Amino acid sequence: MSQHQQSLVTQQNLWKTFLVFLLPLIATNILQNLSGTINTIFVGQMLGVHAIAAVSVFFPILFCLMAFVIGLSAGATVLVGQAWGAQNLEKVRCVVGSTLFMTLIGGSLIAIFGVLYAKHILMALGIDDEVMHLSLPYVQWMLAGSPLLFIYIIYTSILRGVGDSRTPLLASTMSIGVGVITTPVLIAGYFGFPKLGIIAPAIATSLGMLTVLIFLTVYLNKKDHPLKPDWQLIKNIRHQPKLSKIILRLGIPTGVQMVTTSVAGLVIVGLVNRHGADATAAYGAVNQVLNYIQFPALSIAIAASIFAAQAIGAGKSDLLAKVTRTALGMNIIFTGTLVILAYLFSKYLMALFITDPNVVALGQQLLFIVLWSILFFGASAIFASIMRASGTVTIPMIINVLAIVCIEVPAAYTFSNWWGLEGIWYGYALAFVCLCIMQGLYYQFVWKKKTVKVLI
């Protein structure tokens, strides 16, 4: 059995194995965020402000769709991890087949209804009439190509479930490469290509996904990868009620959590907007910086979940505490280092996004309030992901939603009445700390006393 076929947790040095798995995962997350930033730059520079507004309207729609896909992939990754830990390749293929079947059905329905009702959706979002003629075709093309995007996200997540974080990085680099080359070419109609304007980024995204899926099919078959899309795997792409039920049971809470987070985000933006345009600009810049610091924290949580699932599948539940310790240690080292760097270079980080010196100073002030609490956010994500690997998803999800609905939003509202704009960020910090304490207590005093069973 090659290194590649081995379960992650059975390897000797857990720290080293964790690190080797983690680095490509962080790089993939950062690349994907960069691709969105680059796309926005192309649209803004080549098509103007109205085009940016037209494209931005799609974000809340995309977020709800992503909640569905990321929920599915979270459930599937846990099961794939457990089956892989048990070295049961047939079971791995069944889970992959069942997940791809649900993705294809769900993605096709979203594409069809999305294209038909895009105008109604945009009107419900209250889009400006000046932007509607640009937004409508963009949103329709994005929704039409969404099944490709969903399959890409699911497949790369499942690859990580069997301990392969390098292939998703390769796939991500490739899809971004295709996007960066084709977006400007299609917007402006270079090299004799048709000039597609606003729908160019949407078509470029679909082209990127299609290219990567073809590449993965060839590459995985050539490497004789355990998850190569061959006949053994393809015949499992069908409705498997028992498996679908477990995948959805594990996945839906993750989706609900994402939707709650995004709705709370909208409420907070409303609070920020009250303080004027400078406050909104500072909020945008602070969030960009926080995103990049949260990526390693979230990547560590994803890695912890996969290691834990493989340990459970391999019947080595005794290793779960070791995986948790390793992940928490990595959070302190990685996230902690980034937090310190962000404190030291806060002025320059803000200046990347903002030119006005007053707003830069305001952004710095807000960063200083919230940065340290990202460490607590990382730890809470690790506790929740370890528990998810064993099938415990509902209580961690409820804790998360409570922290947002009962602590973050009310605190942001109350503190902003007391201390102005800064109060909103005190609310964030308080929510992260409380969330970590609640998840930690549940993990330590309830979950650890349960008997961990294999789910499939």
Side-chain angles (χ1 to χ4, degrees), residues 138-380:
Y138 175 77
V139 167
Q140 283 177 322
W141 276 95
M142 278 303 280
L143 289 170
S146 58
L148 289 171
L149 174 68
F150 296 169
I151 291 168
Y152 163 78
I153 293 170
I154 294 281
Y155 217 97
T156 45
S157 302
I158 286 169
L159 285 168
R160 294 190 194 109
V162 298
D164 178 6
S165 60
R166 286 177 194 171
T167 308
L169 175 59
L170 194 61
S172 190
T173 311
M174 197 172 183
S175 74
I176 289 159
V178 173
V180 167
I181 294 163
T182 52
T183 304
V185 168
L186 294 176
I187 287 177
Y190 297 131
F191 311 118
F193 279 94
K195 192 172 179 180
L196 297 175
I198 191 74
I199 62 172
I203 291 176
T205 303
S206 292
L207 281 174
M209 295 302 137
L210 190 60
T211 312
V212 171
L213 291 172
I214 294 166
F215 160 75
L216 281 176
T217 305
V218 176
Y219 176 76
L220 296 175
N221 273 305
K222 197 173 170 203
K223 276 193 75 175
D224 199 27
H225 193 284
L227 284 186
K228 59 180 185 283
D230 57 3
W231 178 241
Q232 305 297 113
L233 184 75
I234 291 164
K235 67 178 187 200
N236 275 302
I237 302 179
R238 54 190 162 80
H239 181 42
Q240 302 176 49
K242 203 171 149 200
L243 272 178
S244 302
K245 220 162 148 182
I246 307 175
I247 295 167
L248 290 171
R249 183 177 71 76
L250 293 174
I252 287 172
T254 307
V256 169
Q257 200 172 301
M258 276 188 73
V259 172
T260 314
T261 309
S262 71
V263 171
L266 293 175
V267 173
I268 297 221
V269 170
L271 287 177
V272 172
N273 288 344
R274 287 186 192 174
H275 296 272
D278 283 2
T280 309
Y283 171 82
V286 170
N287 262 14
Q288 284 282 353
V289 174
L290 291 181
N291 270 346
Y292 282 104
I293 295 172
Q294 279 175 328
F295 281 141
L298 289 168
S299 301
I300 292 164
I302 292 167
S305 176
I306 291 163
F307 275 69
Q310 291 198 5
I312 292 166
K316 297 181 185 258
S317 304
D318 50 318
L319 285 174
L320 290 175
K322 197 176 171 189
V323 171
T324 310
R325 278 199 307 276
T326 307
L328 291 171
M330 293 266 179
N331 180 47
I332 290 168
I333 293 166
F334 270 91
T335 315
T337 306
L338 284 175
V339 165
I340 292 165
L341 288 172
Y343 272 119
L344 293 174
F345 298 104
S346 58
K347 189 175 175 184
Y348 305 102
L349 288 172
M350 286 295 105
L352 283 175
F353 304 101
I354 302 168
T355 45
D356 184 329
N358 292 334
V359 185
V360 167
L362 175 63
Q364 268 184 285
Q365 230 176 334
L366 301 176
L367 255 187
F368 279 13
I369 293 170
V370 80
L371 266 174
W372 59 275
S373 66
I374 300 286
L375 276 166
F376 288 87
F377 166 80
S380 68

